[in-house]
Amino acid sequence: MIPSKGYAVHNAQDKLAPWNFERRDVGANDIIIEILFSGVCHSDIHQVRSEWGPSKYPMVPGHEIVGRVTSVGSAVTKFKSGDLAGIGCMVNSCGDCGNCKEGHEQYCEKGKVVWTYNAVEHDGTTPTYGGYSDNIVVNEKFAVHVSDKLPLSGVAPLLCAGITTYSPLRKWKIGKGHRVGVLGLGGLGHMAVKFAAAFGAEVTMLSTSPDKEKDAKRLGAHKFCLTKDAAQVKQFKNYFDFIVDTVSAPHDYNMTLRMLRTNGVQICVGIPPSPIQLTGQLLLGNSRAITGSSIGGIAETQEMLDFCAEHNIVSDVEVIDISTINEAYERVLKSDVKYRFVIDIASLK
Ligand code: NAP
Ligand code: ZN
């Protein structure tokens, strides 16, 4: 077993604190990565607090991982020692079903996705632990190559916030000629703005925070709508082809449905803890649709990272010491993050 150091919680009320644990040994198809940066996703907070149903404790969160490969198993071909590598939300799946074979491992038909933390390996007993730690052991298939052209702290959030917004924008072929609203300017929202603008769409930031207008425009938004102001919301009635909804808390889905034009689509990527409520007439009246999307497959994650390296796209980050992680969570909960916290794992040592 490999001795590891990280930050963990032991129950839903706990604060994150230093914790020593063990990782599995490096198998033939595994690589071990010395973690350099680990992003802080709102999903970490949901799971730390058991907001999506009971979590598994102790939990080491973190699924936006960038680091350097320090050793590889005997059968590994994709990486060598010294390479940069990234890991996102998944570390395994069945590999055999239609969805896995088509590169949609996150939708594994056998339900055998193994999440990077808050899960157990296929042996049914070994817990998975995430990126708020000094190393991680992973099957090479679930690691992606990271370019050395971009600042690594800004790359880490691409492994979740990046792919989660890139994937549905690509699936719906969003680009030139489309009006896109992005609801919520946080980790996912700021990446949705960057990608939608890079793909040529007209982007409007839909935010509850008036002080984010300037940043939204710097990130690539063409317009800004303060969603707390009914008069501003009304100006966008029947306006958007697509709305990417990144909000983490319960909110008014009818407000955004009204903003969609005929055949408009609301793509939900935020995962509020409670069920959503919709008014049927708002859907059928204008043939609107509401759909969801979960992260993206491994091949598409590599495609997204390559696109970012080519177009110089990274996340806007506040790099923090791991000792300040609990305060960072409080700031995320107040929508006060510009626009992703990333832990410098050197601060663990
Ligand atoms: P985040 O950084 O906290 O951003 C969420 C943003 O939503 C906030 O900055 C805020 O933006 C807005 N917001 C917060 N509370 C609100 C409320 N009560 N009403 C309206 N707007 C509110 O979170 P994140 O890391 O981007 O994650 C967002 C959500 O996506 C989380 O639920 C997370 O679990 C989920 N997620 C899903 C996937 C997936 O695969 N689908 C992957 C990763 C994360 P403004 O200040 O602009 O209003
Ligand atoms: Zn995430």
Side-chain angles (χ1 to χ4, degrees):
M1 300 293 272
I2 296 165
S4 304
K5 207 158 98 174
Y7 266 52
V9 287
H10 296 264
N11 61 60
Q13 288 74 42
D14 212 3
K15 295 258 183 237
L16 284 148
W19 188 57
N20 294 320
F21 61 103
E22 290 181 324
R23 303 263 187 197
R24 70 164 190 265
D25 287 322
V26 180
N29 301 106
D30 291 336
I31 60 175
I32 180 164
I33 296 172
E34 180 195 0
I35 300 176
L36 299 172
F37 293 100
S38 186
V40 177
C41 180
H42 206 119
S43 302
D44 300 345
I45 303 178
H46 290 308
Q47 291 176 88
V48 157
R49 300 184 175 193
S50 280
E51 289 177 356
W52 295 339
S55 292
K56 297 183 198 318
Y57 301 101
M59 181 196 302
V60 178
H63 58 207
E64 295 184 335
I65 300 167
V66 166
R68 202 170 283 283
V69 177
T70 53
S71 172
V72 304
S74 56
V76 166
T77 55
K78 191 169 154 187
F79 291 93
K80 58 182 190 324
S81 199
D83 285 352
L84 291 171
I87 299 176
C89 299
M90 301 178 278
V91 289
N92 214 346
S93 73
C94 89
D96 213 31
C97 70
N99 283 348
C100 283
K101 283 190 169 150
E102 282 169 24
H104 306 298
E105 298 91 346
Q106 75 276 31
Y107 303 127
C108 174
E109 291 163 38
K110 296 192 183 155
K112 292 185 86 175
V113 177
V114 179
W115 304 109
T116 303
Y117 66 87
N118 192 22
V120 285
E121 301 275 11
H122 284 168
D123 65 7
T125 54
T126 309
T128 59
Y129 297 119
Y132 299 7
S133 60
D134 56 358
N135 70 69
I136 188 163
V137 177
V138 67
N139 185 305
E140 62 168 339
K141 281 191 200 154
F142 285 81
V144 285
H145 291 283
V146 168
S147 159
D148 59 5
K149 281 198 216 140
L150 299 173
L152 296 180
S153 56
V155 170
L158 302 178
L159 276 303
C160 174
I163 184 61
T164 301
T165 48
Y166 180 94
S167 180
L169 290 169
R170 283 302 200 208
K171 172 182 161 176
W172 290 93
K173 301 185 169 44
I174 293 172
K176 221 171 156 37
H178 289 133
R179 293 169 175 171
V180 178
V182 175
L183 186 71
L185 187 51
L188 269 57
H190 92 291
M191 290 314 305
V193 168
K194 287 190 184 207
F195 284 133
F199 299 163
E202 180 205 279
V203 183
T204 302
M205 187 68 235
L206 308 169
S207 173
T208 60
S209 306
D211 58 312
K212 291 183 184 172
E213 176 167 0
K214 215 170 136 202
D215 278 344
K217 292 192 172 153
R218 176 180 55 77
L219 293 164
H222 305 93
K223 299 182 180 186
F224 184 89
C225 171
L226 183 64
T227 52
K228 288 192 286 199
D229 179 343
Q232 290 191 37
V233 170
K234 219 169 160 187
Q235 285 175 10
F236 291 92
K237 194 177 170 199
N238 298 336
Y239 187 81
F240 296 109
D241 299 291
F242 297 95
I243 290 176
V244 182
D245 176 353
T246 75
V247 172
S248 50
H251 58 285
D252 182 7
Y253 291 81
N254 293 327
M255 177 194 80
T256 36
L257 284 181
R258 284 190 192 92
M259 296 170 118
L260 291 173
R261 65 204 297 187
T262 305
N263 295 322
V265 181
Q266 175 159 348
I267 304 163
C268 298
V269 290
I271 318 171
S274 47
I276 68 176
Q277 287 196 320
L278 299 176
T279 299
Q281 287 90 330
L282 290 175
L283 277 181
L284 57 92
N286 245 330
S287 185
R288 297 167 172 126
I290 184 159
T291 183
S293 186
S294 175
I295 51 171
I298 298 299
E300 193 176 36
T301 303
Q302 188 65 64
E303 175 194 307
M304 178 271 313
L305 285 174
D306 295 346
F307 179 87
C308 289
E310 195 182 327
H311 297 269
N312 210 19
I313 293 174
V314 283
S315 181
D316 284 32
V317 300
E318 290 188 54
V319 177
I320 58 167
D321 273 19
I322 198 161
S323 60
T324 64
I325 184 66
N326 294 299
E327 292 83 60
Y329 274 23
E330 291 310 315
R331 282 189 51 201
V332 172
L333 289 167
K334 285 189 236 149
S335 303
D336 174 27
V337 48
K338 306 272 172 6
Y339 280 89
R340 195 57 137 190
F341 288 113
V342 171
I343 304 164
D344 180 353
I345 295 298
S347 63
L348 238 184
K349 298 196 173 104

